[in-house]
Amino acid sequence: MQFNDLLRAHDIDPAMTALALHKPRDPRIRAALCVMAESAPGLFEAYQSTHPTIPEATLKARRTMAAFLSRAEGELTFIGLYLQAGWRDVPAAELDAMPLQAEMRARLGQGGLSAEARARGIAARALFDLRPLDVLSDLRGRLVVTDPGARNYMRLAERTSLPVREITLRATLAPPVPDWRALRLTTDELRHLPRDWITTLHQWRGVYLIVDERDGARYVGAAYGEDNLLGRWQAHVAGEIGVTVELRRRDTSQFRFSILELLSPAATAEEVITCEQNWMDRLHTRRYGLNA
């Protein structure tokens, strides 16, 4: 089955539908978009309300837009179907001043559009009025199609093959929690975790490492108790400065978190602290790092 078969079954003409296949090359931006789509849809709508010149022209000529998002290599997850209800040209500086646009770009680690517009000689961008439709809304986060490949993300539906790979029972937009050995989180990512990640980190306890990416300084910590890693890490980034003696002297915005050793949920505080002391010794974080 093709995605176009689903469109036709609901009287949606593929010839009047644009496909927005959101799949930025930067994995951190892809992950941030997945979190936005799941927990901050207003920011995600801000993201897809403007487009570069060529995709913009494609969308202007279409009545509907189907949005997809890359969660895993080779596949795209359906976000929703939208009515393209018009647009207005907005100067880049005005777009930069819009709160949702500014927050969205900050979350993605992107600067404003003004400098880019000046460099490319573009006075304004079209700001689209995209209105979510009920059609296929029950498949949001559940319908997975095969990525057709190539870099261009705004496609013509009638010319694009999107084979349906699966329809899952549970809607999931955020990427799966990685193996604990591969988990790396920046401060900003920690402040905007997907729902499933929050649940997992709430259950995990163990010994962790914080690296201040400004100078590479390291801190070893232990997480146990009711909220485990989730609670301890969130405490570290709750304010603008750290929570321990040495970390209080540092801006938290450039911290990166990882797990050195994952312990059983039944491990006692004494067992976790013993492992923590061992890692401090192995990494020399008392003499050369941020542990007191």
Side-chain angles (χ1 to χ4, degrees):
M1 176 187 292
Q2 293 279 337
F3 178 69
N4 282 341
D5 296 327
L6 293 174
L7 291 179
R8 294 187 185 98
H10 291 81
D11 296 323
I12 302 294
D13 185 1
M16 289 304 297
T17 302
L19 302 175
L21 311 180
H22 300 299
K23 47 178 184 176
R25 284 178 291 175
D26 188 330
R28 292 179 61 179
I29 293 180
R30 286 202 306 270
L33 284 177
C34 288
V35 175
M36 282 184 194
E38 179 186 83
S39 58
L43 295 181
F44 184 78
E45 303 303 343
Y47 173 79
Q48 61 178 11
S49 66
T50 64
H51 302 274
T53 304
I54 295 176
E56 178 184 285
T58 299
L59 185 54
K60 283 180 176 179
R62 298 281 156 142
R63 186 167 58 241
T64 54
M65 184 189 85
F68 292 83
L69 189 55
S70 173
R71 292 181 61 247
E73 193 68 30
E75 64 182 45
L76 297 161
T77 300
F78 180 63
I79 301 300
L81 197 64
Y82 299 82
L83 172 68
Q84 194 274 85
W87 67 89
R88 64 185 179 92
D89 290 331
V90 179
E94 185 179 332
L95 279 171
D96 287 345
M98 293 179 177
L100 282 178
Q101 291 283 335
E103 184 179 352
M104 174 270 294
R105 296 182 73 82
R107 285 262 202 114
L108 298 180
Q110 298 175 337
L113 292 172
S114 299
E116 177 186 342
R118 285 195 298 271
R120 298 188 178 188
I122 301 171
R125 272 191 173 178
L127 181 67
F128 286 91
D129 180 6
L130 298 172
R131 302 178 184 179
L133 297 172
D134 289 334
V135 177
L136 302 180
S137 60
D138 60 318
L139 296 179
R140 174 181 167 85
R142 297 175 54 226
L143 172 65
V144 181
V145 301
T146 299
D147 184 351
R151 289 177 54 187
N152 54 316
Y153 74 92
M154 191 69 78
R155 309 286 187 91
L156 305 177
E158 75 277 15
R159 296 184 184 178
T160 306
S161 173
L162 290 182
V164 174
R165 297 181 67 158
E166 65 175 327
I167 297 177
T168 63
L169 291 175
R170 180 174 178 266
T172 306
L173 293 175
V177 183
D179 182 273
W180 68 269
R181 299 170 189 84
L183 183 66
R184 308 285 187 275
L185 291 174
T186 65
T187 294
D188 188 62
E189 289 167 340
L190 186 55
R191 287 173 173 161
H192 304 103
L193 288 171
R195 180 180 58 248
D196 289 350
W197 295 40
I198 289 173
T199 300
T200 299
L201 289 174
H202 181 82
Q203 297 168 348
W204 283 354
R205 64 179 53 185
V207 182
Y208 61 88
L209 179 70
I210 298 177
V211 176
D212 187 336
E213 296 195 312
R214 287 186 176 85
D215 59 5
R218 296 163 295 168
Y219 171 86
V220 171
Y224 51 87
E226 185 177 352
D227 291 324
N228 293 319
L229 279 169
L230 176 69
R232 192 59 180 156
W233 285 1
Q234 286 183 334
H236 278 297
V237 301
E240 294 182 355
I241 57 174
V243 297
T244 66
V245 173
E246 291 296 328
L247 294 180
R248 282 195 193 100
R249 302 187 177 101
R250 292 177 174 264
D251 180 349
T252 62
S253 64
Q254 295 298 311
F255 285 0
R256 182 176 291 275
F257 296 77
S258 59
I259 300 172
L260 294 171
E261 186 171 351
L262 189 68
L263 299 175
S264 164
T268 65
E270 291 75 16
E271 290 171 330
V272 179
I273 292 170
T274 297
C275 288
E276 176 192 31
Q277 299 299 312
N278 179 266
W279 277 103
M280 288 181 190
D281 292 340
R282 293 165 68 181
L283 297 178
H284 306 287
T285 56
R286 292 187 185 89
R287 184 173 181 181
Y288 301 111
L290 300 175
N291 289 105

